[in-house]
Amino acid sequence: MPAMTPEELHRFQAEHFPQAAHLDLRIEHLDDTTIRVRLPTKEQHLRPGGTISGPTLVWLADLSFYLLIMGRLGPVAAAVTTNLNINFMRKPEPGDLLGEGRLLKLGKTLAVGDFTIWSEGLKDPVAPATVTYAIPPAR
Amino acid sequence: MPAMTPEELHRFQAEHFPQAAHLDLRIEHLDDTTIRVRLPTKEQHLRPGGTISGPTLVWLADLSFYLLIMGRLGPVAAAVTTNLNINFMRKPEPGDLLGEGRLLKLGKTLAVGDFTIWSEGLKDPVAPATVTYAIPPAR
Amino acid sequence: MPAMTPEELHRFQAEHFPQAAHLDLRIEHLDDTTIRVRLPTKEQHLRPGGTISGPTLVWLADLSFYLLIMGRLGPVAAAVTTNLNINFMRKPEPGDLLGEGRLLKLGKTLAVGDFTIWSEGLKDPVAPATVTYAIPPAR
Amino acid sequence: MPAMTPEELHRFQAEHFPQAAHLDLRIEHLDDTTIRVRLPTKEQHLRPGGTISGPTLVWLADLSFYLLIMGRLGPVAAAVTTNLNINFMRKPEPGDLLGEGRLLKLGKTLAVGDFTIWSEGLKDPVAPATVTYAIPPAR
């Protein structure tokens, strides 16, 4: 059972990441090893051509995977990203982005997972990412 | 000789990336295969703990490498990022970020380069990244 | 329907990769977008500690994804790897390695997919990889 | 000053990696944060078309960076690769491969560096890689 509920994670995010408060990331599912999120997209994420910017996709993968780890370990964990690898495969459509993350390894010092982003309603993924977080020893 | 000057690239960025207009990225050097940029950091890039967010570092690497390719090929090139890999090695200090990019390959369909980010005044890099851009065939 | 059967791909591999003939990679499943392979491990893949070497895991991911693309496009495709990213998460056990690959994008010039490696009989994966291949224009 | 000399590292490699004994990797330079190596290439590394296989390039990057860490920390360090990202940019020419590695971070639990491979005599690199090693806590 996760250490934090989606509601607690939403509050934690609002409190600790006020800069991202205008981005309405919603956790739709959370368990010990997976997370599913939804991001309604807004004007400020868009690049020329009406598409969603690469850094917004990176932000989505990074934050969602962070919330998955927090949900598992609780709010004491000050995990920090150490590696992120992302392939941008298709232009995302304007509209909601959906993302699914899986925790593939939760070791003493490293957490590794993948995170895949879709445009809602389309079958082929927009961007798969792999993320590594360092878990501080004092927990 | 680059196809565009730093001033032309600054104007291009302001016109085509109005969402990033509040981020005052400055090109300090540009030639055919290298770019050096400076990013004065502001409140909205900061994460808990006063550090600069990972997605801001990604944005910096991605945009700077894009400007390097544009500088080389001219404004017609609609290059798109296909892969980005970044290692977050140290907490960036509040203050200016400096970045240096190198174009390692400019092929017919792919451009590959690396981009390294420093906190001004510190010797050890904050984050090295590798970026791949797809170059559209019609140019 | 794939353009080549597993048997044709085994013959193709034996003919074009004679250096790897001693590695008895077997395709257990193949369709248009997925491949599953088995690699019986032998002495020469082992590192100190009796584990399977990282480069052998890379070789497995790279070759299997190549066979998946060949199976889809037929033997004319001279695809070449352009990017490979792999996380080594657990020490593989001596014994058979299993691998599953998925083709996430097959574009005009790039194919992108992921490939995950397990030790037979264990639930948690050993190493997930992401691979990009360039597809030559003349096909 | 490195904890081990190139000669000690060559002996260490021969003893602990007997499977690679036929690969005559030579350390040409070593200091606390950089390594330069040479790999005379032989028939068994070659792929169709007379080029050097991707996994051989990966092996070269991975082992060389391992030797750099060992040279720095001494033979007690049982460092293991956790992430490797490589871009294959050009077909390597048959002939010697040269490689240069830099240690970008040596933390308590992670070492991060880059490693670039060239074909001897050619200016443009063949493959840049980024490597992360986990350093066991007990050292």
Side-chain angles (χ1 to χ4, degrees):
Chain A
M1 208 184 92
M4 295 176 77
T5 65
E7 289 66 35
E8 288 169 333
L9 288 168
H10 289 145
R11 274 201 298 276
F12 179 90
Q13 183 202 342
E15 209 171 302
H16 290 82
F17 298 85
Q19 299 91 346
H22 59 291
L23 295 167
D24 192 22
L25 177 77
R26 304 307 299 170
I27 301 173
E28 297 197 328
H29 171 84
L30 178 73
D31 62 38
D32 266 2
T33 57
T34 67
I35 192 170
R36 192 177 62 240
V37 300
R38 172 183 296 269
L39 182 72
T41 53
K42 296 175 182 167
E43 185 60 27
Q44 77 267 32
H45 312 145
L46 301 184
R47 270 187 105 118
T51 189
I52 293 153
S53 77
T56 297
L57 301 182
V58 168
W59 171 87
L60 178 61
D62 184 44
L63 176 57
S64 301
F65 196 69
Y66 179 76
L67 294 174
L68 172 54
I69 295 173
M70 297 283 295
R72 173 75 171 266
L73 298 180
V76 293
V80 291
T81 317
T82 57
N83 176 262
L84 189 145
N85 186 66
I86 188 166
N87 282 283
F88 302 99
M89 300 195 309
R90 294 178 181 84
K91 212 175 114 153
E93 300 293 322
D96 286 9
L97 289 178
L98 303 178
E100 289 190 9
R102 287 185 302 172
L103 190 56
L104 297 174
K105 175 187 175 171
L106 179 61
K108 278 179 202 154
T109 57
L110 287 181
V112 182
D114 57 24
F115 191 84
T116 305
I117 299 170
W118 284 266
S119 287
E120 184 167 36
L122 298 186
K123 179 177 162 283
D124 290 323
V126 163
T130 310
V131 189
T132 303
Y133 265 76
I135 313 283
R139 57 170 167 128
Chain B
M1 210 184 89
M4 295 175 78
T5 66
E7 289 67 34
E8 289 168 332
L9 288 169
H10 289 145
R11 274 200 299 277
F12 180 89
Q13 184 203 342
E15 208 170 303
H16 290 81
F17 298 85
Q19 300 92 345
H22 59 291
L23 295 167
D24 192 23
L25 177 78
R26 304 307 300 168
I27 300 172
E28 297 197 330
H29 171 83
L30 178 74
D31 62 36
D32 265 1
T33 57
T34 66
I35 191 168
R36 192 177 62 241
V37 299
R38 172 183 295 267
L39 181 73
T41 53
K42 296 176 182 167
E43 184 61 26
Q44 76 268 29
H45 312 144
L46 300 184
R47 268 187 107 118
T51 189
I52 293 153
S53 76
T56 298
L57 302 181
V58 168
W59 172 86
L60 178 61
D62 183 45
L63 176 58
S64 301
F65 196 69
Y66 178 77
L67 294 173
L68 173 54
I69 295 173
M70 298 283 296
R72 174 74 172 268
L73 298 181
V76 292
V80 292
T81 318
T82 57
N83 177 264
L84 188 143
N85 185 65
I86 187 164
N87 282 284
F88 302 100
M89 301 194 309
R90 295 177 182 84
K91 214 178 111 153
E93 300 293 322
D96 285 10
L97 290 179
L98 303 178
E100 288 190 10
R102 288 185 301 171
L103 190 56
L104 298 174
K105 175 186 175 172
L106 180 60
K108 277 179 203 154
T109 57
L110 287 181
V112 181
D114 57 24
F115 191 83
T116 305
I117 299 171
W118 284 267
S119 285
E120 184 167 38
L122 299 186
K123 178 177 163 284
D124 290 321
V126 163
T130 310
V131 190
T132 304
Y133 265 75
I135 314 283
R139 52 174 172 127
Chain C
M1 208 184 90
M4 295 174 77
T5 65
E7 290 67 35
E8 288 169 334
L9 287 168
H10 288 146
R11 275 200 299 277
F12 180 90
Q13 183 202 342
E15 208 171 303
H16 289 82
F17 298 85
Q19 300 92 343
H22 59 291
L23 295 167
D24 193 23
L25 177 77
R26 304 308 298 169
I27 301 172
E28 297 196 330
H29 172 82
L30 178 72
D31 61 37
D32 265 3
T33 57
T34 68
I35 190 168
R36 192 177 62 239
V37 300
R38 171 182 296 267
L39 182 73
T41 53
K42 295 175 184 168
E43 185 59 26
Q44 77 268 28
H45 312 144
L46 301 184
R47 268 187 107 119
T51 189
I52 293 153
S53 75
T56 298
L57 301 181
V58 168
W59 170 87
L60 178 62
D62 184 44
L63 176 57
S64 301
F65 196 69
Y66 179 76
L67 294 174
L68 173 54
I69 296 173
M70 297 284 295
R72 174 74 171 267
L73 298 180
V76 293
V80 292
T81 317
T82 56
N83 175 264
L84 189 144
N85 185 65
I86 187 165
N87 282 284
F88 302 100
M89 301 194 308
R90 294 177 182 85
K91 213 176 112 152
E93 300 294 321
D96 285 10
L97 290 178
L98 303 178
E100 289 190 8
R102 287 186 302 172
L103 191 55
L104 297 173
K105 176 187 173 171
L106 179 61
K108 278 179 200 153
T109 58
L110 287 181
V112 182
D114 58 24
F115 192 83
T116 306
I117 299 171
W118 285 267
S119 287
E120 185 169 34
L122 299 186
K123 179 177 162 282
D124 290 323
V126 163
T130 310
V131 190
T132 305
Y133 266 76
I135 312 284
R139 56 170 166 131
Chain D
M1 210 184 89
M4 296 175 77
T5 65
E7 290 67 34
E8 289 169 330
L9 288 169
H10 289 144
R11 274 201 299 277
F12 179 89
Q13 184 203 342
E15 207 171 303
H16 290 81
F17 298 85
Q19 300 90 346
H22 59 290
L23 294 168
D24 193 22
L25 177 78
R26 305 305 301 168
I27 300 172
E28 297 197 329
H29 171 83
L30 178 73
D31 61 36
D32 264 3
T33 57
T34 66
I35 191 169
R36 192 176 63 241
V37 300
R38 172 182 295 267
L39 182 73
T41 53
K42 296 175 182 166
E43 183 61 25
Q44 77 267 30
H45 312 144
L46 301 183
R47 266 187 107 120
T51 190
I52 293 153
S53 77
T56 297
L57 302 180
V58 168
W59 171 86
L60 178 61
D62 183 45
L63 176 57
S64 301
F65 196 69
Y66 178 78
L67 295 174
L68 173 54
I69 295 173
M70 298 282 297
R72 174 74 173 268
L73 298 180
V76 293
V80 292
T81 319
T82 56
N83 176 262
L84 188 144
N85 185 65
I86 187 165
N87 282 283
F88 302 101
M89 301 194 309
R90 293 176 183 85
K91 212 176 114 153
E93 299 293 321
D96 286 9
L97 290 179
L98 303 177
E100 288 189 10
R102 288 186 301 172
L103 191 55
L104 297 174
K105 175 187 176 171
L106 180 60
K108 278 178 204 156
T109 57
L110 286 182
V112 182
D114 59 23
F115 191 84
T116 305
I117 299 170
W118 284 267
S119 287
E120 184 167 36
L122 298 187
K123 177 176 163 286
D124 290 322
V126 163
T130 310
V131 189
T132 304
Y133 266 77
I135 313 283
R139 54 170 172 131

